Amino acid sequence: MEITNVTEYQAIAKKRLPKMIYDYYASGAEDEWTLQENREAFARILFRPRILIDVSKIDMTTTVLGFKLSMPIMIAPSAMQKMAHPDGEYATARAASAAGTIMTLSSWATSSVEEVASTGPGIRFFQLYVYKNRKVVEQLVRRAEQAGFKAIALTVDTPRLGRREADIKNRFVLPPNLTLKNFEGLDLGKMDQANDSGLASYVAGQIDRTLSWKDVKWLQSITTLPILVKGVITGEDSRLAVENGAAGIIVSNHGARQLDYVPATISALEEVVQAARGQIPVFLDGGVRRGTDVFKALALGAAGVFIGRPVVFSLAAAGEAGVSNVLKMLRDEFELTMALSGCSSLADITRNHVVTEAEKLGVMPSRL
């Protein structure tokens, strides 16, 4: 059967993967209300396409932190990708590089920063959790720098792990043949007591609950890499991110895996964008499955989007070719959406190209 859209990979992944692994990737926190809402909120935003505009040439190129990309669609950090496919993060890195876009490597990856770098050239970001032992954080950052990674995506919505009931029921553990490669060869101090299978739960338990804005300053003091703050969903925190020197913001609710009943990221986006006042770029992840979703995010002020689950599901279904196909389908759909909306470049996409639920209800002032 020919795959015609991104969502179709999920059913294939569900068939192919052991239940424990599929559920780890697919599930959200608690009632999974936000998980569903991340998708449904996109469906409540409608288009206001402009007609009779020359769209014979469409330019989707953009720059992110000064790096030239083929499109504003990038890869979000997803942990433990070798659970989905033996090639894991290697395949994702090659697909991203071939598509001319950015891959963000999870610090809980089953391939190391050096291994990912060995796949060849490419623009890569490194996702970071801050651990109680700051020496471990420093070692991770150094390794990412030395491996040629270009930015740090600091996850800030996880002082504790969210409650994912499927993982509890399945007694989720990292399969015994895999390991969290970025922690191999580190001086872990007290961390050494954990064996490989215990490492994942042990590392999760080492996340620092005292993490605050002063630690963002500390991180800037130990690295020259730009820092993206990942997990901002309010205007208040958007302002603080700007004030504390973040290079950018990723509006994210951690794929709805942390606090349930937070709004969909597409619903929170505009508030965060307005509070940032154009001082730093704002990106979005969560629920992006169509080119139309990408357009909606850009119309509401995002500088680009990151995709997570579509990567691991397509990886499970077809390895590197699956990830490449997801990037191609999203690119093609986004290009078509631009053409049909009357936009020949990203700069042409404006707030007037979409209408949100709030406006339909007359909450927002009319644009005319």
Side-chain angles (χ1 to χ4, degrees), residues 4 22 66 143 146 171 174 210 216-217 253 271 295 323:
T4 54
Y22 172 79
R143 279 178 68 179
Q146 281 157 11
R171 296 194 159 82
L174 183 62
T210 73
V216 177
K217 288 286 194 203
N253 53 35
E271 176 184 325
F295 187 102
V323 181

Side-chain angles (χ1 to χ4, degrees), residues 13-24 83 170 175:
K14 188 172 186 175
K15 281 200 197 92
R16 290 222 165 167
L17 293 172
K19 180 173 163 53
M20 178 190 79
I21 293 172
Y22 172 79
D23 285 353
Y24 172 78
M83 293 195 308
N170 295 331

Side-chain angles (χ1 to χ4, degrees), residues 234-252:
T234 65
E236 295 91 320
D237 285 332
S238 177
R239 285 304 311 146
L240 287 168
V242 172
E243 287 164 19
N244 284 279
I249 288 168
I250 303 173
V251 176
S252 174

Side-chain angles (χ1 to χ4, degrees), residues 51 113 158 250:
I51 52 157
V113 286
T158 311
I250 303 173

Side-chain angles (χ1 to χ4, degrees), residues 105-227:
L105 183 71
S106 168
S107 53
W108 296 356
T110 37
S111 312
S112 67
V113 286
E114 295 85 0
E115 288 171 331
V116 167
S118 78
T119 62
I123 305 153
R124 302 185 184 106
F125 293 174
F126 182 68
Q127 177 272 334
L128 182 71
Y129 290 112
V130 172
Y131 300 97
K132 293 169 190 165
N133 182 344
R134 291 292 193 275
K135 293 257 185 303
V136 169
V137 179
E138 213 162 327
Q139 290 172 83
L140 286 169
V141 170
R142 288 285 163 268
R143 279 178 68 179
E145 286 175 337
Q146 281 157 11
F149 283 63
K150 301 299 187 205
I152 301 289
L154 176 68
T155 300
V156 295
D157 58 11
T158 311
R160 298 172 55 169
L161 277 188
R163 195 163 185 279
R164 305 157 201 174
E165 291 176 8
D167 291 347
I168 299 167
K169 282 189 170 64
N170 295 331
R171 296 194 159 82
F172 173 80
V173 290
L174 183 62
N177 59 316
L178 300 175
T179 180
L180 300 185
K181 283 283 190 180
N182 287 312
F183 293 88
E184 274 191 350
L186 290 196
D187 172 13
L188 296 178
K190 290 198 203 81
M191 276 184 163
D192 276 343
Q193 298 138 5
N195 61 15
D196 277 354
S197 63
L199 185 66
S201 56
Y202 184 72
V203 162
Q206 291 301 306
I207 293 178
D208 193 347
R209 298 182 184 184
T210 73
L211 186 69
S212 69
W213 289 107
K214 72 177 185 326
D215 300 293
V216 177
K217 288 286 194 203
W218 170 77
L219 198 54
Q220 288 167 330
S221 78
I222 67 156
T223 183
T224 56
L225 293 179
I227 295 161

Side-chain angles (χ1 to χ4, degrees), residues 10 23-39 76-78 129 155 157-158 162-164 230-233 250-266 284-289 306-310 312-313:
Q10 184 161 354
D23 285 353
Y24 172 78
Y25 290 140
S27 63
E30 297 184 351
D31 297 326
E32 299 187 332
W33 182 87
T34 298
L35 184 66
Q36 198 174 344
E37 178 67 5
N38 268 355
R39 284 296 307 128
S78 303
Y129 290 112
T155 300
D157 58 11
T158 311
R163 195 163 185 279
R164 305 157 201 174
K230 177 179 183 284
V232 171
I233 49 176
I250 303 173
V251 176
S252 174
N253 53 35
H254 210 114
R257 295 160 74 81
Q258 284 299 104
L259 180 62
D260 201 14
Y261 298 98
V262 294
T265 48
I266 194 65
L284 170 140
D285 71 30
V288 175
R289 301 292 180 272
F306 290 86
I307 54 167
R309 287 187 183 87
V312 289
F313 292 148

